[in-house]
Amino acid sequence: MVEAATVAEREQWSSWADFIMSCIGYAIGLGNVWRFPYLCYQNGGGAFLIPYCISLVFCGAPLFILETSWGQLLSVGGLGMFKICPIFKGVGIAAAVMAFWLNIYYIVVLSWAATYLYNSFTFTDVPWKNCDHPWNTPNCRSEYIKIPCDSNRTIAEFFNVKVLTHDHIHEYKKQFFVGDKINWTVCSTADLSVVSPVKEFWNHRVLGISAGLESPGGIRWDLAFFLLIVWIICYLCIFKGVKWTGKVVYLTASFPYMMLFCLLIRGLTLEGAGVGLEFYLKPDFSKLLESKVWVDAVTQVFFSYGLGLGALVALGSYNKFNNNVYKQALTVCFVNSGTSVFAGFVIFSFIGFMATQQEKSVAEVAQAGPGLLFLAYPSGILQLPYTQFWSVLFFLMVLFLGVDSQFCTMEGFFTAIIDEFPQIRRKKYGREIFVGIICIISYLIGLTTVTEGGFYVFQLFDFYAASGWALLWLLFFECIAISWSLGIDRWYEHMKSMIGYYPSGWWKFCWVFATPSVCFGVLLFGLIKYQPLRIDAYNYDYPVWGHVFGWFLSLSSMLCIPGYAIWIWFKTPGTVQEKIKLLCRPDIEIKGAMENADNMELVEDFPHA
């Protein structure tokens, strides 16, 4: 029997509610607001909920339950969790590497939000409303000021032709350039090259964006300052440990819901809200025949649930051994997905209003990713009275959504390292100093994302470092470690020792077959369909060395898994059978299970009246 590793005394959550709120705060982040609504609209509206729910049941919920219960079983972080199948410890190392990269670049989104929040506190108009600022160009023109012309594209679409002739233009003028449009013309190049003040504020005032990765430019000191503020906030949220963090999340996890509710009430009362909601939810079942829709559904579930980064394992590890993590994990899954749908109602009610005011289609104004947060919504509120108030409300919500996801990911990383090296915890202020040092290092590296070329660095990290194939690769081996290495029946016994009964047999099917198959299938599909990163908004193609660096970010985590397995195999003495026993299914003592068994024996031996 292999002796259990002795670990310094660890803290625990004050109550099960701390755990649930922490999971909600972590899993519900910017992906629920800026990614899900757009994917839903783009991939068939309400029909997208079908592949999304299927992905949730086959992949999202099984992995969420697996990670939280794994942490609770062993009361240890993302590295120590693999003592039950040591050959897969490279998965834990990969998760720590991925979390480190994610902590560096994800937080820059919060510095952008802080910039908008700061600029919202004004007694005059918000600075992205008009074109009279130093950063504006001669091409600046509000998107709400209609240009008195129709483009060649509009005319071509009317006649359903690809090549326009003078006859087409003449006929179009006869039909439409009459009455109120008597002075309208066909748009010139200058008319079509106008840029909205919202876009110029984002590009020139916030980002100060350069020509590309090759032109890093100087540091944007205002962004660097806000980045420092956000890092300090995150440090203060976690440096004292989970008893402190467990109280902080009650504010950071609940506040966004209050903001979303206020924004929903306002959004539903706006003209055009119904148009936006129709585009958001109207089902187009023909989309279900496209493979991209299913891949988008799977990746959205993985992305929004925060799987594979060690954070859920860390949050679960602070539970009491007999906590019913199974039911609590299912509750968080339901809340997470419900929030994604709910956020879509908020976002698309405003986008419908914006489309109506600009006399455009929803398709023309809807955007995904940073564009939704920092272009579409700031533009949408310009026509509202008390614009500053709605701007403050929205960007406060963005900050709260991002901060708790950020510090919970940080907690996952620090828990993994500190549990692996418990001497850090034993020293006076050891945790506080260690967390502070890593935060400072991460901040200094993150300064590359707040230069004039920082947006290109951010997109490179986002595309390669902690999403896509790297994450799917990690999740595949994480699932295999339990279902095929440790053994699914053995895992079910562990689950029963914690919650008192066997979970549904459905999860056994998912953990053994469905989840790893989907992970590996989507991974292969993504690699086959791989196209180098390109930023269409700036018509920018990355240089070769940029893609090489991107692949370094991906491989820095991916290669940990086979690399560690090969190293530990050759390092471990014994025959092949002995190595398999020691590295795949070692006999270890689990502290909580042993205490459980002792308590049962005491109950049985206690004399009854």
Side-chain angles (χ1 to χ4, degrees):
M1 181 76 73
V2 179
E3 293 185 5
T6 57
V7 181
E9 191 66 29
R10 299 173 91 251
E11 290 184 294
Q12 290 186 327
W13 299 115
S14 300
S15 71
W16 57 266
D18 290 3
F19 167 67
I20 288 183
M21 293 301 290
S22 297
C23 285
I24 289 174
Y26 167 67
I28 296 170
L30 298 178
N32 299 78
V33 174
W34 81 9
R35 199 164 185 267
F36 176 84
Y38 181 81
L39 286 179
C40 196
Y41 146 71
Q42 189 184 50
N43 291 313
F48 180 71
L49 295 177
I50 296 174
Y52 177 79
C53 290
I54 291 174
S55 301
L56 170 63
V57 172
F58 278 88
C59 300
L63 285 169
F64 198 94
I65 295 168
L66 179 68
E67 293 193 5
T68 50
S69 57
W70 198 339
Q72 179 173 305
L73 175 72
L74 299 175
S75 294
V76 73
L79 293 173
M81 63 190 270
F82 288 95
K83 65 184 180 182
I84 60 176
C85 43
I87 199 167
F88 287 98
K89 189 173 182 177
V91 177
I93 299 171
V97 171
M98 201 177 290
F100 180 74
W101 295 134
L102 182 65
N103 287 333
I104 288 171
Y105 81 85
Y106 181 86
I107 198 169
V108 74
V109 179
L110 305 184
S111 72
W112 297 336
T115 303
Y116 275 83
L117 180 63
Y118 172 77
N119 282 280
S120 300
F121 289 103
T122 173
F123 291 107
T124 57
D125 289 330
V126 289
W128 57 86
K129 185 170 186 176
N130 44 51
C131 296
D132 53 2
H133 301 284
W135 58 80
N136 292 125
T137 68
N139 290 332
C140 182
R141 185 186 181 102
S142 172
E143 59 267 55
Y144 293 100
I145 299 176
K146 182 70 175 174
I147 302 174
C149 67
D150 280 338
S151 66
N152 286 336
R153 178 182 172 185
T154 301
I155 299 172
E157 287 177 352
F158 175 78
F159 289 105
N160 196 24
V161 295
K162 292 184 178 180
V163 179
L164 280 177
T165 65
H166 287 293
D167 291 337
H168 288 128
I169 296 173
H170 180 70
E171 180 63 27
Y172 190 88
K173 286 180 177 180
K174 270 176 55 178
Q175 286 192 47
F176 294 99
F177 293 172
V178 294
D180 293 339
K181 288 188 172 184
I182 190 69
N183 295 319
W184 280 45
T185 61
V186 178
C187 297
S188 65
T189 303
D191 291 327
L192 296 175
S193 61
V194 296
V195 183
S196 73
V198 175
K199 187 171 287 188
E200 291 204 342
F201 179 81
W202 167 243
N203 286 335
H204 305 313
R205 172 63 185 85
V206 178
L207 300 180
I209 197 159
S210 68
L213 200 62
E214 308 92 332
S215 307
I219 291 176
R220 306 286 294 175
W221 290 108
D222 54 341
L223 284 180
F225 172 73
F226 287 122
L227 186 65
L228 177 63
I229 295 297
V230 178
W231 266 113
I232 291 172
I233 292 171
C234 289
Y235 173 78
L236 294 175
C237 287
I238 67 168
F239 80 111
K240 279 294 186 183
V242 295
K243 287 193 181 296
W244 170 248
T245 305
K247 300 299 178 281
V248 172
V249 292
Y250 281 93
L251 172 64
T252 59
S254 59
F255 183 80
Y257 282 99
M258 293 187 285
M259 297 301 98
L260 277 172
F261 184 74
C262 291
L263 291 168
L264 177 66
I265 297 300
R266 185 67 185 101
L268 292 178
T269 61
L270 295 174
E271 179 188 2
V275 176
L277 296 180
E278 182 182 359
F279 269 80
Y280 172 48
L281 291 175
K282 186 178 180 180
D284 179 3
F285 293 104
S286 65
K287 287 278 188 179
L288 298 181
L289 301 176
E290 299 177 16
S291 58
K292 177 183 175 297
V293 173
W294 293 84
V295 172
D296 280 349
V298 173
T299 53
Q300 171 60 19
V301 167
F302 290 152
F303 182 83
S304 66
Y305 275 66
L307 300 166
L309 299 171
L312 293 173
V313 176
L315 297 178
S317 72
Y318 295 111
N319 281 328
K320 294 182 174 70
F321 185 81
N322 294 116
N323 179 61
N324 197 332
V325 66
Y326 174 57
K327 287 185 177 178
Q328 291 164 7
L330 286 174
T331 301
V332 175
C333 290
F334 176 78
V335 172
N336 187 319
S337 296
T339 303
S340 293
V341 177
F342 179 61
F345 281 93
V346 177
I347 296 299
F348 271 87
S349 62
F350 277 91
I351 287 180
F353 169 70
M354 184 170 69
T356 301
Q357 294 295 307
Q358 295 180 21
E359 298 181 13
K360 295 179 180 177
S361 69
V362 172
E364 290 178 276
V365 297
Q367 300 183 57
L372 181 61
L373 295 187
F374 302 111
L375 292 174
Y377 186 84
S379 175
I381 61 174
L382 289 179
Q383 297 298 97
L384 295 177
Y386 311 111
T387 299
Q388 299 94 322
F389 171 75
W390 296 109
S391 181
V392 167
L393 212 62
F394 179 77
F395 287 109
L396 266 179
M397 180 193 73
V398 170
L399 279 170
F400 274 88
L401 279 173
V403 161
D404 51 11
S405 294
Q406 173 74 18
F407 72 65
C408 285
T409 306
M410 290 166 61
E411 182 61 55
F413 174 79
F414 291 125
T415 298
I417 303 298
I418 293 172
D419 282 347
E420 189 72 6
F421 303 100
Q423 59 269 28
I424 296 173
R425 190 187 298 119
R426 295 192 191 106
K427 293 179 181 178
K428 188 176 182 181
Y429 302 119
R431 176 187 167 95
E432 291 89 338
I433 293 170
F434 174 70
V435 171
I437 290 172
I438 298 298
C439 286
I440 291 170
I441 293 171
S442 299
Y443 171 73
L444 293 175
I445 297 174
L447 287 176
T448 59
T449 63
V450 293
T451 61
E452 291 173 2
F455 186 73
Y456 303 103
V457 178
F458 169 82
Q459 293 285 5
L460 201 64
F461 269 86
D462 189 47
F463 187 77
Y464 285 104
S467 57
W469 44 79
L471 183 60
L472 290 165
W473 174 260
L474 187 155
L475 291 171
F476 170 76
F477 283 104
E478 181 181 89
C479 212
I480 291 296
I482 287 297
S483 57
W484 292 94
S485 177
L486 176 70
I488 194 64
D489 291 333
R490 200 175 187 187
W491 177 251
Y492 261 59
E493 292 298 332
H494 288 321
M495 290 289 291
K496 184 183 179 184
S497 70
M498 288 190 292
I499 64 176
Y501 57 91
Y502 293 115
S504 166
W506 170 256
W507 310 116
K508 183 179 289 191
F509 166 73
C510 290
W511 288 327
V512 175
F513 299 110
T515 307
S517 298
V518 171
C519 288
F520 197 72
V522 176
L523 168 64
L524 285 179
F525 183 86
L527 290 174
I528 292 169
K529 295 286 186 179
Y530 167 72
Q531 291 182 335
L533 174 62
R534 185 178 193 279
I535 304 182
D536 293 329
Y538 301 108
N539 194 29
Y540 178 72
D541 293 295
Y542 280 79
V544 174
W545 63 266
H547 293 295
V548 171
F549 178 70
W551 276 105
F552 160 75
L553 293 174
S554 290
L555 295 175
S556 65
S557 58
M558 294 174 73
L559 292 180
C560 291
I561 300 173
Y564 183 86
I566 293 169
W567 175 78
I568 196 68
W569 178 267
F570 286 106
K571 183 190 173 189
T572 304
T575 63
V576 172
Q577 288 79 6
E578 289 171 340
K579 288 184 178 184
I580 291 174
K581 176 64 176 174
L582 286 170
L583 297 178
C584 297
R585 295 191 180 187
D587 295 317
I588 66 166
E589 294 177 351
I590 298 173
K591 183 180 177 183
M594 292 168 58
E595 291 175 354
N596 232 24
D598 292 342
N599 291 336
M600 289 297 294
E601 289 178 12
L602 285 172
V603 171
E604 289 174 5
D605 294 341
F606 192 81
H608 298 280

